[in-house]
Amino acid sequence: MNVCIIVKYAAILGGLTFLCIPIITTLTSPSTSKLPQISKSHSLGSISYFKLLFGSDQKNQLRELRSALFGGYWKYYDHEHTPKDGVSWQLPVDATLLSQSPLWKLINEIIPQTDANGSTEHVDARARVLRRGDNVKIHSSCNEVESGYSVLLFLSQLSDKNDYGEILFFQDDDVHTTIQPVQYGLLVWSCRIPYQFQYPSISTGFGQVLLQITIYNKVDVKPTYLPHTVKHFPVFRGTDAINKTFRAEDHLTSVEYTALHRPIYVLDNLFREDLLSELREHLYLSSQYYYDDSDDAGETDNVQWISGHRTHEFVKSEMWGIVKETLTQITGHADWYPYDVSCNLNRAWDHTRIHKDCYDKDEYTFLLYLNPEFKPGDLGGTVFYEHEDLFNIVSSVQNRYGRVALFHCEIKHAARPPHAYLTNARYSFAVKVARSKLDAVQREMQQSLWNDLDDEEKPEELAKLTEELGSDRDPDVLEAHFVKYFLEEMEKRHEDLEEALRQAGTG
């Protein structure tokens, strides 16, 4: 039996996300030899590579594991806190749950005996995504006084022989061994041996998904990592704290119109420095990102890292008060309400696309730039196009800290990645608004289903959700029911997962 929790509706529920880690409850003994296909001696230990451990059934289960990891929420370690090997995207995995899967049993059967064998007390397990352009470095999982083993499971298959993605091991400042990854290959090495990832080639749009486990001897001290705790959206002083003399026109830098007279407003210095700093701290240290490397064709933004935030918490903040008052003064409409609050993260090697934020709606997107280190010439702005003429640029908004681009949702636009010499990411905070709270709540419900379900499932699931939540037209009641419904659903699924893990391997 495979049990997996698919994380849904996280834009609303934020921190309540449950990850499907190796819930491979039917993983039997490997169908092939447990002898490594590559085995190398090293002055600091050994390197073993197993390419043929899993049969077709087990590979299907590992494929489901990879998909489930995409449903989890990832942490981005920026240039100040990047792990020492330079791989910025990580997702911590609960080693206690991992230890209850047959995958863990297999790992303990093939690694050399250590004091920690069979125990998770001194185990660090995390999924990782290796991306083109990562600032990879030579690194050892253990320092000179520690010992143990590192295990790496390759969950992605790079599709072309020129996609790179190998891992290099070093001895005396020279390459000792190089391993070419094969999907579902398992690599084991003494954790003191220095290694370096070769990130995928520039032509490769997909990330290399890895499950990396380091097993330390009990006498050793486990390394510490930057703590990652999910926090509620910062409320600051509340929406009533807005200055009553606030005038949006005092902050208006420019306005451009498309041929259909749809506006693009550029505003500067809307927010105090303390508001921007607290928002940045929240996004840097507490946000969880959803990863999508599907590289969809058509009019999608192709932003592969997005962090959703709870709209019902955001509307309590002083920041929302300023956003709403700005919208009210500029558009003359006072009932705006957010249905999508998110942070988009782009790096120099990402491939963003021209798209629209809505179709056949009279709505707006409020886009805030959040990189204080960006200077003129660092790129990373937003380009806006005429509706039918994508070779006609209406406006190009420079990425300036605290700047806002406020634009009609049907204007085609594209984010631009930052300059290639920048190793840190471009952060933009987007608030998409509907003309009423009822419209916004319904859009949020629909968008959640659209993001998480296959096309053939959407109409049926949306109808089911609407029926279960009732037909109440009061947006406050509908929003409360919606949030409560999915909190209960996720809690139930979490309980089911724990029970399935407890039963794993029993006759």
Side-chain angles (χ1 to χ4, degrees):
M1 177 182 66
N2 292 328
V3 183
C4 176
I5 287 181
I6 301 299
V7 180
K8 294 185 180 180
Y9 320 108
I12 289 180
L13 302 178
L16 257 179
T17 55
F18 303 107
L19 170 63
C20 175
I21 54 178
I23 310 165
I24 311 171
T25 57
T26 60
L27 186 63
T28 58
S29 298
S31 59
T32 56
S33 171
K34 294 180 184 177
L35 296 176
Q37 279 64 60
I38 298 175
S39 182
K40 295 290 184 73
S41 296
H42 189 284
S43 61
L44 296 176
S46 61
I47 303 166
S48 300
Y49 188 32
F50 303 82
K51 295 192 288 184
L52 304 173
L53 278 175
F54 304 104
S56 58
D57 290 343
Q58 290 76 42
K59 287 180 179 179
N60 288 335
Q61 293 166 353
L62 292 174
R63 190 175 296 112
E64 291 187 15
L65 167 60
R66 178 180 180 274
S67 298
L69 289 173
F70 277 24
Y73 275 69
W74 296 72
K75 171 65 182 171
Y76 176 70
Y77 293 84
D78 67 13
H79 61 291
E80 296 178 1
H81 305 102
T82 302
K84 293 181 180 179
D85 61 6
V87 181
S88 295
W89 289 105
Q90 302 198 22
L91 194 161
V93 171
D94 189 330
T96 301
L97 294 178
L98 173 64
S99 70
Q100 300 176 51
S101 72
L103 178 62
W104 176 255
K105 179 181 178 182
L106 172 62
I107 290 171
N108 278 277
E109 288 177 356
I110 64 175
I111 65 172
Q113 185 69 32
T114 68
D115 292 341
N117 213 3
S119 168
T120 61
E121 183 180 359
H122 299 267
V123 172
D124 181 83
R126 53 193 62 229
R128 317 183 77 189
V129 176
L130 182 65
R131 299 275 294 164
R132 58 187 182 187
D134 277 342
N135 187 22
V136 292
K137 300 173 183 176
I138 298 175
H139 171 63
S140 299
S141 300
C142 301
N143 60 38
E144 63 275 5
V145 299
E146 297 171 341
S147 61
Y149 285 86
S150 287
V151 179
L152 193 66
L153 176 63
F154 297 98
L155 291 172
S156 296
Q157 178 62 58
L158 298 178
S159 57
D160 187 84
K161 63 183 179 182
N162 292 314
D163 283 346
Y164 311 161
E166 62 267 20
I167 180 170
L168 298 86
F169 295 94
F170 291 82
Q171 182 172 289
D172 300 326
D173 295 326
D174 202 353
V175 175
H176 173 276
T177 301
T178 303
I179 299 295
Q180 180 66 38
V182 174
Q183 191 173 26
Y184 312 127
L186 195 71
L187 181 60
V188 181
W189 71 94
S190 304
C191 63
R192 291 184 188 174
I193 299 176
Y195 68 90
Q196 184 179 29
F197 291 108
Q198 169 63 62
Y199 54 75
S201 68
I202 299 303
S203 64
T204 306
F206 304 101
Q208 190 172 0
V209 182
L210 313 166
L211 178 63
Q212 186 164 355
I213 305 166
T214 303
I215 305 171
Y216 301 91
N217 280 321
K218 288 185 179 180
V219 296
D220 297 329
V221 179
K222 180 179 172 181
T224 58
Y225 292 83
L226 180 70
H228 179 212
T229 57
V230 179
K231 300 178 182 178
H232 297 295
F233 195 89
V235 172
F236 307 122
R237 294 184 297 168
T239 55
D240 59 350
I242 185 171
N243 189 335
K244 301 305 180 184
T245 62
F246 171 82
R247 295 199 318 163
E249 64 182 28
D250 293 340
H251 303 274
L252 187 61
T253 299
S254 66
V255 58
E256 302 284 349
Y257 294 91
T258 67
L260 297 177
H261 206 68
R262 290 171 177 153
I264 305 157
Y265 301 96
V266 177
L267 303 104
D268 288 302
N269 305 314
L270 272 178
F271 301 103
R272 300 189 315 272
E273 177 63 35
D274 62 308
L275 287 180
L276 293 174
S277 296
E278 189 164 353
L279 177 59
R280 286 178 58 242
E281 181 180 4
H282 177 75
L283 295 176
Y284 288 6
L285 299 181
S286 302
S287 288
Q288 296 173 307
Y289 287 83
Y290 172 74
Y291 176 45
D292 178 10
D293 72 350
S294 54
D295 198 31
D296 296 327
E299 288 194 2
T300 64
D301 59 10
N302 204 38
V303 174
Q304 297 184 340
W305 295 99
I306 300 175
S307 174
H309 297 269
R310 305 176 185 184
T311 57
H312 64 283
E313 289 189 348
F314 176 68
V315 295
K316 300 174 185 177
S317 71
E318 181 181 359
M319 181 162 283
W320 166 243
I322 297 173
V323 172
K324 185 176 182 180
E325 185 63 24
T326 300
L327 282 159
T328 298
Q329 292 187 21
I330 286 180
T331 67
H333 179 73
D335 294 330
W336 298 106
Y337 199 85
Y339 66 87
D340 188 319
V341 180
S342 61
C343 179
N344 295 340
L345 191 150
N346 296 294
R347 297 195 302 172
W349 311 106
D350 289 344
H351 178 207
T352 52
R353 288 203 177 108
I354 299 171
H355 66 286
K356 297 196 298 186
D357 286 348
C358 73
Y359 293 85
D360 301 320
K361 300 284 185 180
D362 185 16
E363 299 173 351
Y364 281 82
T365 297
F366 186 100
L367 185 66
L368 172 64
Y369 299 101
L370 285 171
N371 286 88
E373 73 278 17
F374 276 24
K375 307 181 299 295
D378 284 348
L379 305 177
T382 307
V383 179
F384 297 88
Y385 298 85
E386 282 291 1
H387 180 64
E388 298 296 340
D389 184 1
L390 297 184
F391 292 97
N392 186 353
I393 293 176
V394 178
S395 179
S396 182
V397 178
Q398 180 177 307
N399 187 327
R400 179 176 292 177
Y401 182 53
R403 169 167 284 181
V404 168
L406 175 62
F407 55 94
H408 194 278
C409 68
E410 288 202 342
I411 299 177
K412 292 189 176 182
H413 62 284
R416 288 292 188 251
H419 200 289
Y421 71 75
L422 295 172
T423 58
N424 48 321
R426 168 197 190 267
Y427 290 86
S428 60
F429 185 71
V431 181
K432 299 176 184 178
V433 296
R435 297 186 68 85
S436 70
K437 182 172 181 178
L438 180 61
D439 288 345
V441 174
Q442 292 175 335
R443 289 287 300 281
E444 193 164 22
M445 293 166 57
Q446 185 181 49
Q447 183 169 278
S448 296
L449 288 173
W450 251 237
N451 288 340
D452 294 309
L453 297 176
D454 295 331
D455 287 342
E456 61 271 15
E457 297 178 294
K458 292 171 182 175
E460 180 181 350
E461 288 298 317
L462 185 57
K464 177 183 176 183
L465 175 63
T466 302
E467 179 181 356
E468 290 181 350
L469 291 178
S471 58
D472 200 311
R473 300 290 291 179
D474 184 326
D476 294 331
V477 175
L478 186 61
E479 181 181 57
H481 284 179
F482 183 43
V483 173
K484 181 175 181 291
Y485 172 85
F486 286 112
L487 285 173
E488 292 174 349
E489 278 292 301
M490 286 188 170
E491 184 62 30
K492 181 179 182 299
R493 294 185 184 195
H494 186 55
E495 292 171 356
D496 291 344
L497 165 62
E498 290 183 334
E499 179 62 22
L501 288 173
R502 280 191 293 268
Q503 297 299 322
T506 60

PDB file of all heavy atoms in Angstrom, residues 398-416:
ATOM      1  N   GLN A 398      11.567  49.235 -13.754  1.00  0.00           N
ATOM      2  CA  GLN A 398      12.830  48.862 -13.133  1.00  0.00           C
ATOM      3  C   GLN A 398      12.592  48.318 -11.728  1.00  0.00           C
ATOM      4  O   GLN A 398      11.751  48.810 -10.984  1.00  0.00           O
ATOM      5  CB  GLN A 398      13.770  50.066 -13.057  1.00  0.00           C
ATOM      6  CG  GLN A 398      15.121  49.758 -12.411  1.00  0.00           C
ATOM      7  CD  GLN A 398      16.034  50.966 -12.435  1.00  0.00           C
ATOM      8  OE1 GLN A 398      16.252  51.550 -13.484  1.00  0.00           O
ATOM      9  NE2 GLN A 398      16.568  51.334 -11.275  1.00  0.00           N
ATOM     10  N   ASN A 399      13.358  47.289 -11.376  1.00  0.00           N
ATOM     11  CA  ASN A 399      13.289  46.707 -10.042  1.00  0.00           C
ATOM     12  C   ASN A 399      14.018  47.630  -9.061  1.00  0.00           C
ATOM     13  O   ASN A 399      15.231  47.703  -9.034  1.00  0.00           O
ATOM     14  CB  ASN A 399      13.931  45.313 -10.053  1.00  0.00           C
ATOM     15  CG  ASN A 399      13.745  44.574  -8.740  1.00  0.00           C
ATOM     16  OD1 ASN A 399      13.716  45.158  -7.670  1.00  0.00           O
ATOM     17  ND2 ASN A 399      13.626  43.263  -8.830  1.00  0.00           N
ATOM     18  N   ARG A 400      13.240  48.339  -8.262  1.00  0.00           N
ATOM     19  CA  ARG A 400      13.791  49.251  -7.258  1.00  0.00           C
ATOM     20  C   ARG A 400      13.148  48.922  -5.913  1.00  0.00           C
ATOM     21  O   ARG A 400      11.939  48.736  -5.821  1.00  0.00           O
ATOM     22  CB  ARG A 400      13.526  50.694  -7.649  1.00  0.00           C
ATOM     23  CG  ARG A 400      14.033  51.735  -6.663  1.00  0.00           C
ATOM     24  CD  ARG A 400      13.806  53.140  -7.184  1.00  0.00           C
ATOM     25  NE  ARG A 400      14.658  53.418  -8.343  1.00  0.00           N
ATOM     26  CZ  ARG A 400      14.616  54.551  -9.036  1.00  0.00           C
ATOM     27  NH1 ARG A 400      13.738  55.501  -8.694  1.00  0.00           N
ATOM     28  NH2 ARG A 400      15.417  54.742 -10.067  1.00  0.00           N
ATOM     29  N   TYR A 401      13.937  48.859  -4.874  1.00  0.00           N
ATOM     30  CA  TYR A 401      13.446  48.442  -3.565  1.00  0.00           C
ATOM     31  C   TYR A 401      12.276  49.302  -3.098  1.00  0.00           C
ATOM     32  O   TYR A 401      12.356  50.528  -3.082  1.00  0.00           O
ATOM     33  CB  TYR A 401      14.590  48.527  -2.553  1.00  0.00           C
ATOM     34  CG  TYR A 401      14.216  48.075  -1.153  1.00  0.00           C
ATOM     35  CD1 TYR A 401      13.629  46.838  -0.937  1.00  0.00           C
ATOM     36  CD2 TYR A 401      14.483  48.892  -0.056  1.00  0.00           C
ATOM     37  CE1 TYR A 401      13.302  46.412   0.331  1.00  0.00           C
ATOM     38  CE2 TYR A 401      14.176  48.476   1.229  1.00  0.00           C
ATOM     39  CZ  TYR A 401      13.588  47.233   1.415  1.00  0.00           C
ATOM     40  OH  TYR A 401      13.274  46.820   2.688  1.00  0.00           O
ATOM     41  N   GLY A 402      11.180  48.635  -2.720  1.00  0.00           N
ATOM     42  CA  GLY A 402       9.996  49.330  -2.245  1.00  0.00           C
ATOM     43  C   GLY A 402       9.096  49.867  -3.335  1.00  0.00           C
ATOM     44  O   GLY A 402       8.027  50.409  -3.048  1.00  0.00           O
ATOM     45  N   ARG A 403       9.492  49.721  -4.590  1.00  0.00           N
ATOM     46  CA  ARG A 403       8.675  50.198  -5.709  1.00  0.00           C
ATOM     47  C   ARG A 403       7.490  49.270  -5.921  1.00  0.00           C
ATOM     48  O   ARG A 403       7.568  48.054  -5.685  1.00  0.00           O
ATOM     49  CB  ARG A 403       9.510  50.299  -6.974  1.00  0.00           C
ATOM     50  CG  ARG A 403       8.719  50.527  -8.259  1.00  0.00           C
ATOM     51  CD  ARG A 403       9.591  50.925  -9.413  1.00  0.00           C
ATOM     52  NE  ARG A 403       9.991  52.338  -9.288  1.00  0.00           N
ATOM     53  CZ  ARG A 403      10.748  52.980 -10.175  1.00  0.00           C
ATOM     54  NH1 ARG A 403      11.205  52.341 -11.255  1.00  0.00           N
ATOM     55  NH2 ARG A 403      11.062  54.245  -9.983  1.00  0.00           N
ATOM     56  N   VAL A 404       6.391  49.850  -6.397  1.00  0.00           N
ATOM     57  CA  VAL A 404       5.176  49.084  -6.686  1.00  0.00           C
ATOM     58  C   VAL A 404       4.781  49.296  -8.142  1.00  0.00           C
ATOM     59  O   VAL A 404       4.769  50.430  -8.633  1.00  0.00           O
ATOM     60  CB  VAL A 404       4.017  49.526  -5.771  1.00  0.00           C
ATOM     61  CG1 VAL A 404       2.687  48.944  -6.249  1.00  0.00           C
ATOM     62  CG2 VAL A 404       4.287  49.110  -4.329  1.00  0.00           C
ATOM     63  N   ALA A 405       4.481  48.201  -8.826  1.00  0.00           N
ATOM     64  CA  ALA A 405       3.819  48.246 -10.128  1.00  0.00           C
ATOM     65  C   ALA A 405       2.383  47.782  -9.911  1.00  0.00           C
ATOM     66  O   ALA A 405       2.143  46.649  -9.488  1.00  0.00           O
ATOM     67  CB  ALA A 405       4.533  47.349 -11.136  1.00  0.00           C
ATOM     68  N   LEU A 406       1.443  48.665 -10.149  1.00  0.00           N
ATOM     69  CA  LEU A 406       0.021  48.369  -9.987  1.00  0.00           C
ATOM     70  C   LEU A 406      -0.596  48.362 -11.386  1.00  0.00           C
ATOM     71  O   LEU A 406      -0.602  49.387 -12.064  1.00  0.00           O
ATOM     72  CB  LEU A 406      -0.637  49.422  -9.102  1.00  0.00           C
ATOM     73  CG  LEU A 406      -2.156  49.339  -8.931  1.00  0.00           C
ATOM     74  CD1 LEU A 406      -2.560  48.025  -8.264  1.00  0.00           C
ATOM     75  CD2 LEU A 406      -2.665  50.537  -8.125  1.00  0.00           C
ATOM     76  N   PHE A 407      -1.139  47.231 -11.804  1.00  0.00           N
ATOM     77  CA  PHE A 407      -1.574  47.128 -13.196  1.00  0.00           C
ATOM     78  C   PHE A 407      -2.829  46.278 -13.326  1.00  0.00           C
ATOM     79  O   PHE A 407      -3.137  45.422 -12.484  1.00  0.00           O
ATOM     80  CB  PHE A 407      -0.461  46.559 -14.075  1.00  0.00           C
ATOM     81  CG  PHE A 407       0.092  45.220 -13.620  1.00  0.00           C
ATOM     82  CD1 PHE A 407      -0.409  44.035 -14.128  1.00  0.00           C
ATOM     83  CD2 PHE A 407       1.115  45.161 -12.680  1.00  0.00           C
ATOM     84  CE1 PHE A 407       0.086  42.809 -13.720  1.00  0.00           C
ATOM     85  CE2 PHE A 407       1.621  43.946 -12.255  1.00  0.00           C
ATOM     86  CZ  PHE A 407       1.108  42.761 -12.775  1.00  0.00           C
ATOM     87  N   HIS A 408      -3.561  46.547 -14.414  1.00  0.00           N
ATOM     88  CA  HIS A 408      -4.765  45.786 -14.726  1.00  0.00           C
ATOM     89  C   HIS A 408      -4.376  44.344 -15.036  1.00  0.00           C
ATOM     90  O   HIS A 408      -3.394  44.082 -15.734  1.00  0.00           O
ATOM     91  CB  HIS A 408      -5.497  46.400 -15.922  1.00  0.00           C
ATOM     92  CG  HIS A 408      -6.886  45.902 -16.098  1.00  0.00           C
ATOM     93  ND1 HIS A 408      -7.173  44.705 -16.730  1.00  0.00           N
ATOM     94  CD2 HIS A 408      -8.091  46.421 -15.720  1.00  0.00           C
ATOM     95  CE1 HIS A 408      -8.478  44.521 -16.748  1.00  0.00           C
ATOM     96  NE2 HIS A 408      -9.063  45.554 -16.148  1.00  0.00           N
ATOM     97  N   CYS A 409      -5.181  43.402 -14.518  1.00  0.00           N
ATOM     98  CA  CYS A 409      -4.783  41.993 -14.564  1.00  0.00           C
ATOM     99  C   CYS A 409      -4.754  41.401 -15.966  1.00  0.00           C
ATOM    100  O   CYS A 409      -4.161  40.340 -16.175  1.00  0.00           O
ATOM    101  CB  CYS A 409      -5.705  41.172 -13.677  1.00  0.00           C
ATOM    102  SG  CYS A 409      -7.408  41.070 -14.280  1.00  0.00           S
ATOM    103  N   GLU A 410      -5.371  42.059 -16.954  1.00  0.00           N
ATOM    104  CA  GLU A 410      -5.390  41.493 -18.305  1.00  0.00           C
ATOM    105  C   GLU A 410      -4.235  41.996 -19.173  1.00  0.00           C
ATOM    106  O   GLU A 410      -4.147  41.632 -20.342  1.00  0.00           O
ATOM    107  CB  GLU A 410      -6.728  41.786 -18.982  1.00  0.00           C
ATOM    108  CG  GLU A 410      -7.878  40.970 -18.416  1.00  0.00           C
ATOM    109  CD  GLU A 410      -9.028  40.843 -19.383  1.00  0.00           C
ATOM    110  OE1 GLU A 410      -9.097  41.645 -20.335  1.00  0.00           O
ATOM    111  OE2 GLU A 410      -9.855  39.934 -19.202  1.00  0.00           O
ATOM    112  N   ILE A 411      -3.361  42.799 -18.609  1.00  0.00           N
ATOM    113  CA  ILE A 411      -2.187  43.258 -19.375  1.00  0.00           C
ATOM    114  C   ILE A 411      -1.150  42.141 -19.395  1.00  0.00           C
ATOM    115  O   ILE A 411      -0.757  41.613 -18.348  1.00  0.00           O
ATOM    116  CB  ILE A 411      -1.585  44.525 -18.756  1.00  0.00           C
ATOM    117  CG1 ILE A 411      -2.606  45.659 -18.764  1.00  0.00           C
ATOM    118  CG2 ILE A 411      -0.330  44.941 -19.514  1.00  0.00           C
ATOM    119  CD1 ILE A 411      -2.106  46.922 -18.100  1.00  0.00           C
ATOM    120  N   LYS A 412      -0.694  41.793 -20.567  1.00  0.00           N
ATOM    121  CA  LYS A 412       0.346  40.771 -20.676  1.00  0.00           C
ATOM    122  C   LYS A 412       1.677  41.325 -20.183  1.00  0.00           C
ATOM    123  O   LYS A 412       2.049  42.455 -20.506  1.00  0.00           O
ATOM    124  CB  LYS A 412       0.469  40.284 -22.120  1.00  0.00           C
ATOM    125  CG  LYS A 412      -0.760  39.505 -22.584  1.00  0.00           C
ATOM    126  CD  LYS A 412      -0.537  38.852 -23.935  1.00  0.00           C
ATOM    127  CE  LYS A 412      -1.751  38.010 -24.324  1.00  0.00           C
ATOM    128  NZ  LYS A 412      -1.561  37.307 -25.605  1.00  0.00           N
ATOM    129  N   HIS A 413       2.387  40.521 -19.413  1.00  0.00           N
ATOM    130  CA  HIS A 413       3.632  40.975 -18.806  1.00  0.00           C
ATOM    131  C   HIS A 413       4.526  39.774 -18.511  1.00  0.00           C
ATOM    132  O   HIS A 413       4.093  38.614 -18.583  1.00  0.00           O
ATOM    133  CB  HIS A 413       3.354  41.751 -17.514  1.00  0.00           C
ATOM    134  CG  HIS A 413       2.674  40.933 -16.459  1.00  0.00           C
ATOM    135  ND1 HIS A 413       1.323  40.625 -16.511  1.00  0.00           N
ATOM    136  CD2 HIS A 413       3.141  40.341 -15.329  1.00  0.00           C
ATOM    137  CE1 HIS A 413       0.992  39.896 -15.462  1.00  0.00           C
ATOM    138  NE2 HIS A 413       2.087  39.703 -14.730  1.00  0.00           N
ATOM    139  N   ALA A 414       5.773  40.060 -18.171  1.00  0.00           N
ATOM    140  CA  ALA A 414       6.724  39.007 -17.819  1.00  0.00           C
ATOM    141  C   ALA A 414       7.751  39.562 -16.852  1.00  0.00           C
ATOM    142  O   ALA A 414       8.265  40.671 -17.041  1.00  0.00           O
ATOM    143  CB  ALA A 414       7.421  38.455 -19.062  1.00  0.00           C
ATOM    144  N   ALA A 415       8.029  38.783 -15.809  1.00  0.00           N
ATOM    145  CA  ALA A 415       9.131  39.110 -14.909  1.00  0.00           C
ATOM    146  C   ALA A 415      10.441  38.850 -15.631  1.00  0.00           C
ATOM    147  O   ALA A 415      10.536  37.929 -16.447  1.00  0.00           O
ATOM    148  CB  ALA A 415       9.044  38.269 -13.648  1.00  0.00           C
ATOM    149  N   ARG A 416      11.439  39.648 -15.323  1.00  0.00           N
ATOM    150  CA  ARG A 416      12.766  39.431 -15.882  1.00  0.00           C
ATOM    151  C   ARG A 416      13.713  38.949 -14.782  1.00  0.00           C
ATOM    152  O   ARG A 416      13.721  39.511 -13.681  1.00  0.00           O
ATOM    153  CB  ARG A 416      13.305  40.721 -16.495  1.00  0.00           C
ATOM    154  CG  ARG A 416      12.602  41.110 -17.789  1.00  0.00           C
ATOM    155  CD  ARG A 416      12.926  40.117 -18.894  1.00  0.00           C
ATOM    156  NE  ARG A 416      12.423  40.546 -20.191  1.00  0.00           N
ATOM    157  CZ  ARG A 416      11.415  39.994 -20.826  1.00  0.00           C
ATOM    158  NH1 ARG A 416      10.766  38.981 -20.277  1.00  0.00           N
ATOM    159  NH2 ARG A 416      11.043  40.437 -22.015  1.00  0.00           N
TER     160      ARG A 416
END
